[in-house]
Amino acid sequence: MKNITINIQPTTKPTIVKFEANVFLTKHESFEFQNIEEAGRSPLAQQLFHLPFVKKVYIAQNFVAIEKYNIVHWKDVQQEISEQIESFLNSGGTVVTPPKEEVKKIPVTVYAESTPNPTVMKFVSNKKLVLQSVEFKNIDEAKNAPLAKALFHFPFVKEVFIDENYLSIMKFDIAEWEEITQELREFMREYLEQGKDVLLDDSEQPSSTKNKEEAPVQKIELDDTSREIVAILDEYIKPAVASDGGNILFESYDQDQKLVKVILQGACSGCPSSTITLKNGIETMLKDMLAGRVERVEAING
């Protein structure tokens, strides 16, 4: 079981603080409890209401938000609350119990967006799907990802990339998008409405994605230029490629060759225009912002 951690996030309202988890707490649902009586279905909220300064408790897909009375300051109590929520979750505590009556379908919408890559279509949901991007090249890699595994049973699905609230699907040439887009949209909408898992709790990313995404960026021994490159990619490049259904990951930096290597995922992988984007966009930006330190950018899977 994955160790659950809580990240404290202030909000625009000084009386409310969010406690974000690195796992999903509910399946596409949100709850608001005004008092301990209303929190009958939530052992976690009930526990929090025993704190005298807790006014309201909100529970969403991956966070708990607490509104407090003005008898304390957040800086004095937020760390203690964070640790209390972590302890509760890691000890197997129940966040919200399912209703006794038959579970109703959760309203979900899914719409399709074309991408610069003609073999990839982006399917956007109004619900958060994952907390961290994952990519599956085949059904074997999707053994712990039920939604991706189910999609691979469509004969025209070649690869699946999932990030935040969307999926990017790469197809084989045996079908055209106008023939299969509606079928995929309806399948995903019904799947999510039934509250089925996107990823299993104990699932890990395929090694090809996990190692390349997490390890290089998180290594303490990254040099200063590499850290700057990662920051530039995160701030300027990733939002743009995400809007097109893709993702870009830092792989390495060679100081002697002044070479940056990246990994392209989702719609960016194998896209005919990715080379142009890489050279005219990403490479130009890094050369301008890191003058004299970067001369070339290469995609190791481009």
Side-chain angles (χ1 to χ4, degrees):
M1 178 66 71
K2 183 177 183 179
N3 185 54
I4 300 174
T5 58
I6 297 295
N7 183 33
I8 301 170
Q9 293 288 343
T11 70
T12 54
K13 293 186 177 181
T15 59
I16 299 178
V17 164
K18 286 171 62 176
F19 299 86
E20 290 188 349
N22 62 334
V23 298
F24 282 115
L25 304 178
T26 70
K27 290 190 176 182
H28 312 302
E29 293 182 283
S30 299
F31 303 87
E32 178 179 334
F33 304 110
Q34 306 277 346
N35 51 58
I36 196 169
E37 286 77 19
E38 287 187 4
R41 281 184 56 198
S42 175
L44 174 57
Q46 286 182 321
Q47 180 172 307
L48 292 170
F49 273 118
H50 282 106
L51 300 170
F53 52 83
V54 171
K55 183 178 181 181
K56 293 180 184 178
V57 176
Y58 309 84
I59 299 178
Q61 280 186 270
N62 69 312
F63 70 84
V64 177
I66 297 175
E67 182 176 356
K68 70 173 180 67
Y69 291 105
N70 290 325
I71 58 175
V72 295
H73 297 289
W74 274 121
K75 62 182 177 62
D76 297 327
V77 297
Q78 62 185 19
Q79 186 59 41
E80 181 181 347
I81 294 176
S82 173
E83 292 171 0
Q84 182 175 328
I85 295 173
E86 270 190 14
S87 176
F88 179 90
L89 297 174
N90 283 306
S91 63
T94 301
V95 178
V96 179
T97 57
K100 294 181 180 179
E101 64 273 12
E102 184 180 350
V103 179
K104 297 180 180 179
K105 284 187 175 181
I106 304 158
V108 174
T109 59
V110 176
Y111 66 89
E113 290 182 355
S114 59
T115 75
N117 189 339
T119 66
V120 176
M121 186 72 72
K122 180 180 177 182
F123 296 87
V124 185
S125 169
N126 64 330
K127 301 295 182 181
K128 185 172 284 190
L129 305 177
V130 295
L131 301 179
Q132 186 175 348
S133 63
V134 284
E135 184 176 45
F136 306 99
K137 297 289 188 180
N138 53 59
I139 196 169
D140 292 332
E141 290 186 354
K143 62 182 180 180
N144 290 324
L147 175 53
K149 187 175 182 179
L151 288 168
F152 275 116
H153 284 99
F154 289 95
F156 43 76
V157 172
K158 183 179 181 182
E159 298 179 14
V160 178
F161 174 76
I162 312 176
D163 192 9
E164 290 276 326
N165 67 324
Y166 72 86
L167 294 93
S168 291
I169 294 178
M170 180 178 290
K171 71 174 181 67
F172 290 105
D173 292 334
I174 60 174
E176 300 299 326
W177 283 120
E178 55 265 27
E179 301 168 349
I180 60 177
T181 297
Q182 187 61 29
E183 181 181 4
L184 288 169
R185 279 184 59 198
E186 285 302 306
F187 174 81
M188 283 183 268
R189 182 184 62 79
E190 291 181 8
Y191 185 99
L192 296 172
E193 280 186 343
Q194 293 169 12
K196 295 181 180 179
D197 291 323
V198 176
L199 299 178
L200 300 181
D201 291 340
D202 60 347
S203 67
E204 292 186 353
Q205 297 183 37
S207 57
S208 59
T209 301
K210 184 179 179 182
N211 292 342
K212 292 172 183 174
E213 176 169 8
E214 293 182 353
V217 176
Q218 294 181 353
K219 283 182 180 177
I220 299 175
E221 62 265 30
L222 277 181
D223 59 80
D224 291 341
T225 300
S226 294
R227 284 194 287 269
E228 289 182 63
I229 293 168
V230 170
I232 292 170
L233 293 178
D234 287 346
E235 183 173 356
Y236 298 102
I237 308 300
K238 282 194 176 186
V241 297
S243 67
D244 287 334
N247 191 29
I248 184 169
L249 306 173
F250 172 75
E251 168 67 15
S252 64
Y253 168 66
D254 188 308
Q255 182 177 355
D256 295 330
Q257 298 185 54
K258 299 180 181 179
L259 170 66
V260 177
K261 291 185 178 181
V262 297
I263 302 165
L264 301 177
Q265 293 181 313
C268 297
S269 179
C271 177
S273 63
S274 63
T275 301
I276 299 173
T277 302
L278 202 66
K279 294 299 178 183
N280 294 351
I282 301 168
E283 185 176 89
T284 299
M285 178 177 289
L286 290 175
K287 286 169 70 174
D288 289 344
M289 299 181 75
L290 300 172
R293 288 181 283 171
V294 173
E295 290 296 333
R296 290 185 298 131
V297 177
E298 292 181 0
I300 65 173
N301 61 335

